[in-house]
Amino acid sequence: MTVCRRYIKPVSDVVLTLLLWVYFIFSYLGFFSLFYIGAFLFSRNREISFQRINHFFYRGYFFCVRALVPGLEFRIPEEVFSIRSSVIVCNHLSYLDPILLISLFEKHKTIVKNIFFKLPVFGWLLKMAGYLPASASGELITFMVKHMENMQEYLSAGGNLFVFPEGTRSRDGRLGRFNEGAFKIAKRCNAPIKVLLIRNTERLFPPDRFFFNTCVKNTIEIELVGSIDPDHHGRGRSVSELIGQVRSLLEDNLKR
Amino acid sequence: MIREEIQSKILEIFREEVEIEKPGLDDDLREMYEFDSIDALELLGEIEKLLGTGLTQDEKKQAMDIRTINQICDYVESLEKEKL
């Protein structure tokens, strides 16, 4: 075991990380790019098509992760997969969290830091998929206004908006301060809030580390720990009360 | 509408829709009350109701830089003049 940890694990971490990057880069450029171009040229609803392609791209990615990383399991109940028409709020532990959620929901949107919209190609893909910038400024104002105005319709048609209200990854597992955006959108769109708890993604891909942490027994879990219906968060319940309720749900379940 | 009426309506919207009680007229809403883009869109919807007319994308874009209640009142006044 000691020999394994000392010699095989570091090699495994490097090799598997490189293999996953190979999938990431070459399937993007060589395979999925054709679908993105096709969707751009021919799709009647580009936004949904781009979301669907992203979904299948990351499903493939996690298929590879599951197949390649020894000792890794995923435990995600059916009730998570079946979430529709909701604002999903979730704790944030690793860079894997957003792409894991994309791999679960075919029709999805999320809120992305403004800086990513400025990146060539990637920024364009974010816009085409209808992901929202974290704040409306500069050239993103018109884009944000348009997409926020259509959000209620999007959610009613079965789409999900998932948001990490902490805005950044937790370094110690505890919840950080929540931004209000997701809760305001849920109120504005009269949409249910689904509260998800993610565990152990940070063990597979820790913050501040470039390589995957392989050869350790790890089970990544996503649990639906609560649901708040629009009747309960419409008129009469403030955004801060909603935040308090969601925070309690997550904290109570984090202690378990 | 006269300025006082506009101001009173805007403060009512802030109290009831944006959940901000009695902001100062020159308070920086973003700094002091976390007034964000989503609140701004909520406010624009209420301004449309107040004026009884829709706003163009350019008019909405102008509103995104607004930071104080006084600036919102100026904005509504200018819209009212344009729409008349």
Side-chain angles (χ1 to χ4, degrees):
Chain A
M1 185 65 191
T2 313
V3 172
C4 172
R5 284 200 67 81
R6 203 160 156 193
Y7 297 107
I8 298 177
K9 186 184 179 315
V11 175
S12 167
D13 286 359
V14 173
V15 170
L16 293 183
T17 302
L18 291 176
L19 282 174
L20 290 168
W21 272 108
V22 166
Y23 167 86
F24 203 94
I25 293 166
F26 287 96
S27 68
Y28 225 109
L29 296 177
F31 183 69
F32 281 90
S33 59
L34 301 175
F35 289 94
Y36 286 117
I37 292 166
F40 180 74
L41 293 175
F42 305 114
S43 175
R44 280 190 207 160
N45 188 335
R46 280 183 188 158
E47 190 179 284
I48 297 292
S49 299
F50 272 67
Q51 288 167 18
R52 191 170 287 141
I53 299 166
N54 289 345
H55 164 73
F56 284 110
F57 173 72
Y58 287 115
R59 260 180 75 168
Y61 183 75
F62 279 100
F63 175 82
C64 294
V65 170
R66 197 186 312 227
L68 291 173
V69 178
L72 178 67
E73 287 179 32
F74 286 81
R75 193 175 297 152
I76 304 171
E78 188 53 42
E79 64 179 356
V80 172
F81 287 98
S82 60
I83 294 172
R84 299 282 182 278
S85 300
S86 299
V87 173
I88 297 167
V89 290
C90 189
N91 63 319
H92 194 5
L93 302 170
S94 163
Y95 279 136
L96 293 176
D97 301 340
I99 62 175
L100 180 56
L101 292 188
I102 292 173
S103 77
L104 302 183
F105 305 113
E106 198 172 310
K107 284 175 78 178
H108 64 270
K109 288 191 182 197
T110 187
I111 298 177
V112 182
K113 286 181 179 165
N114 283 36
I115 192 163
F116 289 113
F117 283 87
K118 292 180 182 166
L119 298 176
V121 184
F122 187 64
W124 178 77
L125 288 170
L126 294 176
K127 279 186 185 171
M128 293 308 296
Y131 298 166
L132 300 170
S135 66
S137 59
E139 61 187 27
L140 292 173
I141 290 175
T142 312
F143 178 80
M144 173 86 161
V145 169
K146 183 181 149 212
H147 284 272
M148 277 306 302
E149 284 177 345
N150 296 335
M151 184 57 76
Q152 187 160 14
E153 191 185 331
Y154 174 77
L155 292 172
S156 303
N160 291 316
L161 170 71
F162 70 81
V163 181
F164 302 95
E166 295 163 273
T168 188
R169 293 161 295 159
S170 169
R171 302 305 166 108
D172 57 10
R174 286 183 296 185
L175 293 175
R177 185 183 161 278
F178 282 7
N179 293 312
E180 296 180 341
F183 305 93
K184 288 175 181 172
I185 292 172
K187 270 179 79 93
R188 182 180 155 88
C189 298
N190 215 26
I193 298 173
K194 304 285 181 185
V195 187
L196 295 186
L197 180 69
I198 296 188
R199 292 183 203 270
N200 299 329
T201 47
E202 85 287 6
R203 291 191 67 205
L204 176 63
F205 193 62
D208 305 324
R209 195 165 183 267
F210 180 75
F211 296 111
F212 278 82
N213 181 29
T214 67
C215 296
V216 288
K217 199 150 181 55
N218 186 16
T219 303
I220 291 176
E221 293 179 75
I222 301 184
E223 193 183 344
L224 176 62
V225 296
S227 180
I228 305 170
D229 291 332
D231 291 348
H232 294 101
H233 68 63
R235 302 280 163 195
R237 184 167 294 202
S238 68
V239 166
S240 51
E241 284 174 315
L242 272 179
I243 289 176
Q245 192 177 353
V246 169
R247 176 175 279 282
S248 299
L249 280 167
L250 286 170
E251 279 176 345
D252 291 348
N253 283 279
L254 272 171
K255 286 176 197 157
R256 284 199 288 121
Chain B
M1 278 185 290
I2 59 168
R3 175 87 178 188
E4 284 70 26
E5 282 177 306
I6 294 171
Q7 192 175 296
S8 154
K9 289 275 185 194
I10 296 296
L11 289 172
E12 189 184 324
I13 291 167
F14 267 77
R15 192 170 55 249
E16 291 183 2
E17 304 296 334
V18 193
E19 298 178 16
I20 297 175
E21 293 276 349
K22 296 180 184 168
L25 297 181
D26 289 309
D27 287 351
D28 187 321
L29 298 166
R30 291 182 197 197
E31 294 283 328
M32 297 178 68
Y33 302 101
E34 295 186 54
F35 183 82
D36 58 22
S37 317
I38 301 158
D39 293 319
L41 290 169
E42 190 73 47
L43 176 67
L44 287 171
E46 294 299 321
I47 289 173
E48 285 179 327
K49 284 185 206 164
L50 187 66
L51 297 173
T53 178
L55 302 178
T56 64
Q57 290 296 323
D58 276 346
E59 286 165 341
K60 287 177 184 175
K61 199 173 170 183
Q62 285 167 26
M64 289 295 173
D65 291 328
I66 287 174
R67 285 180 169 265
T68 68
I69 296 289
N70 268 333
Q71 287 174 345
I72 296 169
C73 294
D74 293 342
Y75 174 71
V76 174
E77 274 186 328
S78 70
L79 285 174
E80 213 180 13
K81 277 179 198 159
E82 277 175 31
K83 304 271 177 192
L84 278 175

